[in-house]
Amino acid sequence: MSENTFLLDGEAIPFVPGQTVMQAAKAAGKYIPHLCWHPEFKPHGSCKLCTVKANGRFVSSCTMEAAAGVTIENRTPELDDKRRTLLQLLFVEGNHFCPSCEKSGNCLLQATAYDLGMMSPHFDHFFPDRPVDASHPDILLDFNRCILCSLCVQASEQADKKNVFVMGGRGMRGRRIIINSESGKLGDTDFAASDRAASICPVGVILKKRVGFAVPIGERKYDQAPASVVEVTK
Amino acid sequence: MAFELETASHPETLKRVAIEPVSRVEGHGKVTLLLDDDNKVHQVRLHIVEFRGFERFIQGRPYWEVPVMVQRLCGICPVSHHLAASKAMDMILGAKLTPTAEKLRRLMHYGQILQSHALHFFHLSSPDLLFGFGSDMATRNIVGVAAAVPEVAKKGVLLRKYGQEIIRLTAGKRVHGTGAVPGGVNKSLSVEERDLLLKDIYQMVAWSREAVGIIKGLFEKNLAEYNAFGRFDAHSMGLVRADGAMDLYHGGLRARDKSGEIIFDHFDYGHYWEKISEDVKPWSYMKFPFMKHLGPDEGWYRVGPLTRVANCDFIPTPLADHERKEFLAYDAGRPAGATLGYHWARMIEMLHAAESIKDLLHDEDILGTDLMAKGERQERGVGVIEAPRGTLIHHYRVNEDDLVIRANLIVSTTHNNQAMNESIRQVARQYFDGREVTEGLLNHIEVAIRCFDPCLSCATHALGQMPLEVTLEDAAGNTIDSLYKDAHGVSRGK
């Protein structure tokens, strides 16, 4: 094994010092399931879907720096089983009605669940009471589908320099995305449809108005290829 | 006011027989009969026992989501809800569809009519019609039809498959697609897709003609019984084109009275509430629509294939129009007023759908790329379409933030609520009084209900295997007799 490589499911993966395991894996075309990680932003390590075993210990691959000689287990039955459980928890925690969701076919949560073979939600649904914010002329917010990945927070802060979204609240039912305006409504912020945060949401929370279902079935992002292919080529 | 046989004066003294659930229909319903000690019928009701609540949970959702969401009302006729909601949202956008968009929607709709009518006639009703209403229930299903007349069953399956292929190619999926969007459609047909459909359309037209021949032959064979079975007089309503032609996608409302005289014609459905209102009864979740000026007791009416074929001035495709004329003239027009005439009319419509598909597939507009239109935004939208089972009304109000604030849906089967009740009361009078209750006799009630092809609001399919339990109780509620049927047969117990 050369100096700057680690083993991912038995295959040597090269890395540049400073890269995370996730970054190196992606560069090598290897898929590690993830939801809250995005190549443009600093890893957040919150969804835990990218958890791998490094030398036998559970770690988040999006935050762990790659190191030479480390043995990483990724797509093992044990880890994929835990990932399915995490997905099931996310599905029951929000209100994810894929049949009528305009993000269906373009949704990373849905595509990952398909990819990992999640067949049912398994757990009882919470059916939380979450708001829809339609106050903005061009953007709809449907928090029923929020998985608290915080990508909108980072995009608005780091790319748009606006801080429109912040993570707030405490507890299982209290933790949520808050709109940074006096009224708490998006329509009272300087958010724009051209903002990076407007197109960062991996699920169906931040949506451009009046264009839902414009892309026919068969031509949507994950109709073309599964998440395990799309997510290593984006 | 209660209708005759709707409410018995002393129900506590009567025996109760329940058909629950009603089988080979879509959705969940039950029928109750109250009989005295001499088995004379005193009360008959068709109850719709499920509650769906779509009108409520649509509220607060963005308008462009509605055509996809509301089609989940049903797995048999989702295209109808999809298109009615899309038409309503076109009105919200103030959009006049491009020729390509309208023709693609029509193609989708005719595919839906074809597959739904084929499903109903061959899979759900042909067992009753081919084997007899009181025949052995072990073979009174599509499997029995496939064994007895395999060519007929095969054509039924392939007709339905063809209709579903049209839906798949225009909506993206055979069931619950996304093809229609407010202001247009999201895809047109490719040349390859069009050619794929063209390959089999002439066969579909021919088989649809044969299907008309099958039901016509059954009428000839059983004319007196078919004409009289569950027969009742009723007003009727449906859409017609501006020139009076049958148009299942768009038109104005035309209503006729029991004698066939026009009550109103070419009425703009955008104001349907000026003509139609809905009554409620404590024993059913389904409302009872009626024409306002006549009131709930006199103003109820029926919708669907029978009324559409009789209501229009002509059918704009030649083979179906020929069959229409023959249907209306046959036996001095009596089948056109018979409850079982629904089946005949339904097959004429299936032929019309097949011919319309053929015409559209030869129209270059369906290959176009001009798919979307815009207009001046409105607050209220009403979309009406002639679904396989009858007139379907979707009505929405949308606020300035693009969220639905009110929804009212009057689905085809709802219009036929009173008509179905009248029909089963008539059957009860004709067949039940004084006779021992048997499974075969009870199936007569279901045969009458199936004429209307009711969609009791969801996608349940029974295929004759849905469990059916009938219990006979005395006035004190003690079970005297019971019949139970399931996929394994019938069992009797006390």
Side-chain angles (χ1 to χ4, degrees), chain A residues 23-208:
Chain A
Q23 286 172 321
K26 180 178 182 298
K30 300 297 172 190
Y31 174 59
I32 301 177
H34 59 267
L35 290 173
C36 72
W37 179 78
H38 192 284
E40 291 176 30
F41 300 102
K42 193 180 163 192
H44 191 244
S46 65
C47 77
K48 298 299 174 195
L49 216 69
C50 73
T51 299
V52 293
K53 268 187 171 176
N55 289 343
R57 295 182 62 186
F58 291 111
V59 292
S60 297
S61 62
C62 70
T63 53
M64 180 193 171
E65 214 168 284
V70 175
T71 299
I72 305 279
E73 294 171 55
N74 174 29
R75 300 305 302 272
T76 64
E78 179 200 11
L79 284 164
D80 278 354
D81 189 49
K82 291 188 186 306
R83 288 174 180 137
R84 273 190 294 275
T85 303
L86 287 169
L87 286 166
Q88 287 168 327
L89 291 166
L90 285 169
F91 268 95
V92 301
E93 197 175 79
N95 296 313
H96 298 277
F97 302 122
C98 298
S100 59
C101 177
E102 64 186 89
K103 192 78 175 195
S104 190
N106 295 310
C107 171
L108 183 58
L109 178 67
Q110 182 194 48
T112 308
Y114 274 130
D115 211 86
L116 286 166
M118 190 192 109
M119 301 303 287
S120 76
H122 181 75
F123 302 104
D124 289 343
H125 285 272
F126 285 23
F127 296 120
D129 187 10
R130 293 190 185 167
V132 171
D133 181 349
S135 60
H136 193 281
D138 302 317
I139 297 290
L140 177 85
L141 298 178
D142 187 344
F143 289 108
N144 286 291
R145 301 154 183 164
C146 186
I147 57 171
L148 299 175
C149 67
S150 86
L151 282 171
C152 58
V153 177
Q154 293 194 74
S156 185
E157 179 191 355
Q158 296 167 29
D160 304 328
K161 313 292 183 198
K162 288 185 176 178
N163 287 316
V164 170
F165 304 102
V166 290
M167 192 77 86
R170 289 176 182 276
M172 192 167 61
R173 293 179 191 275
R175 191 91 171 134
R176 62 194 171 93
I177 296 291
I178 294 169
I179 308 301
N180 189 12
S181 71
E182 201 167 314
S183 65
K185 295 286 185 188
L186 191 68
D188 292 328
T189 69
D190 57 352
F191 193 72
S194 55
D195 286 356
R196 182 68 185 94
S199 57
I200 196 69
C201 182
V203 292
V205 178
I206 305 174
L207 301 162
K208 290 199 169 102

Side-chain angles (χ1 to χ4, degrees), chain B residues 220-268:
Chain B
E220 286 167 354
K221 198 170 144 192
N222 310 286
L223 189 59
E225 184 189 7
Y226 275 31
N227 273 342
F229 183 83
R231 190 188 186 95
F232 61 95
D233 291 329
H235 309 314
S236 61
M237 192 187 74
L239 291 180
V240 290
R241 207 167 68 183
D243 60 358
M246 171 181 277
D247 192 336
L248 302 176
Y249 179 77
H250 191 67
L253 287 170
R254 171 184 284 179
R256 291 183 191 269
D257 67 15
K258 293 172 183 176
S259 62
E261 294 299 313
I262 299 260
I263 299 175
F264 53 81
D265 203 1
H266 302 298
F267 186 77
D268 176 7

Side-chain angles (χ1 to χ4, degrees), chain B residues 98-105 185 188 365-371:
Chain B
T98 67
T100 294
E102 181 175 329
K103 286 172 184 174
L104 284 164
R105 283 196 192 175
V185 294
S188 61
D365 277 348
I366 63 167
L367 305 175
T369 54
D370 190 8
L371 305 180

Side-chain angles (χ1 to χ4, degrees), chain B residues 355-492:
Chain B
E355 288 185 282
S356 301
I357 291 165
K358 181 193 64 146
D359 293 344
L360 283 165
L361 290 175
H362 286 98
D363 190 327
E364 291 295 311
D365 277 348
I366 63 167
L367 305 175
T369 54
D370 190 8
L371 305 180
M372 295 294 293
K374 282 184 179 172
E376 192 177 334
R377 177 66 192 278
Q378 307 293 315
E379 184 195 359
R380 178 161 53 208
V382 179
V384 177
I385 198 163
E386 283 296 335
R389 289 151 191 85
T391 312
L392 172 63
I393 299 173
H394 280 224
H395 176 191
Y396 305 99
R397 280 179 62 204
V398 176
N399 70 11
E400 59 189 13
D401 285 340
D402 299 321
L403 300 181
V404 174
I405 54 172
R406 184 179 180 278
N408 186 36
L409 314 179
I410 308 180
V411 303
S412 321
T413 299
T414 309
H415 295 289
N416 277 334
N417 198 356
Q418 183 60 33
M420 286 190 290
N421 273 284
E422 283 298 316
S423 184
I424 62 173
R425 282 166 198 158
Q426 190 58 26
V427 168
R429 284 187 200 101
Q430 289 171 321
Y431 292 91
F432 276 67
D433 275 349
R435 295 177 66 183
E436 185 193 355
V437 176
T438 62
E439 188 281 330
L441 204 52
L442 288 173
N443 189 53
H444 284 63
I445 295 271
E446 296 189 81
V447 168
I449 295 169
R450 285 183 203 119
C451 289
F452 297 88
D453 187 14
C455 178
L456 304 180
S457 88
C458 73
T460 305
H461 270 277
L463 293 171
Q465 297 188 357
M466 183 179 280
L468 169 67
E469 185 174 7
V470 180
T471 57
L472 189 60
E473 298 173 355
D474 64 16
N478 302 311
T479 300
I480 299 170
D481 199 359
S482 67
L483 276 178
Y484 185 81
K485 80 167 182 185
D486 59 15
H488 307 294
V490 184
S491 57
R492 184 164 212 137

Side-chain angles (χ1 to χ4, degrees), chain B residues 251-285:
Chain B
L253 287 170
R254 171 184 284 179
R256 291 183 191 269
D257 67 15
K258 293 172 183 176
S259 62
E261 294 299 313
I262 299 260
I263 299 175
F264 53 81
D265 203 1
H266 302 298
F267 186 77
D268 176 7
Y269 65 63
H271 298 273
Y272 73 90
W273 59 86
E274 292 174 13
K275 296 291 183 190
I276 300 165
S277 189
E278 294 174 281
D279 195 16
V280 292
K281 294 187 187 278
W283 47 269
S284 179
Y285 278 126

Side-chain angles (χ1 to χ4, degrees), chain B residues 94-228:
Chain B
K96 184 178 185 318
L97 292 189
T98 67
T100 294
E102 181 175 329
K103 286 172 184 174
L104 284 164
R105 283 196 192 175
R106 282 181 177 273
L107 184 61
M108 193 194 304
H109 186 47
Y110 291 126
Q112 158 75 359
I113 295 279
L114 186 78
Q115 73 88 13
S116 178
H117 280 3
L119 169 78
H120 180 259
F121 184 71
F122 291 99
H123 295 65
L124 303 182
S125 286
S126 76
D128 299 321
L129 302 171
L130 294 173
F131 302 143
F133 305 164
S135 59
D136 179 11
M137 64 156 288
T139 52
R140 203 177 58 220
N141 50 51
I142 185 64
V143 178
V145 173
V149 277
E151 276 306 302
V152 171
K154 183 181 161 193
K155 286 169 186 171
V157 169
L158 292 176
L159 273 163
R160 178 162 194 247
K161 182 184 176 193
Y162 184 83
Q164 287 186 301
E165 278 299 287
I166 290 180
I167 295 169
R168 181 179 70 83
L169 293 171
T170 51
K173 285 164 68 185
R174 288 181 186 85
V175 183
H176 299 141
T178 64
V181 290
V185 294
N186 65 16
K187 76 183 284 282
S188 61
L189 282 192
S190 67
V191 172
E192 293 75 27
E193 290 168 336
R194 190 267 315 267
D195 291 348
L196 183 73
L197 294 172
L198 265 177
K199 189 163 63 67
D200 292 326
I201 185 56
Y202 291 95
Q203 183 66 77
M204 298 304 135
V205 173
W207 286 349
S208 298
R209 286 187 82 179
E210 287 180 28
V212 179
I214 291 173
I215 184 63
K216 195 192 306 178
L218 286 163
F219 256 89
E220 286 167 354
K221 198 170 144 192
N222 310 286
L223 189 59
E225 184 189 7
Y226 275 31
N227 273 342

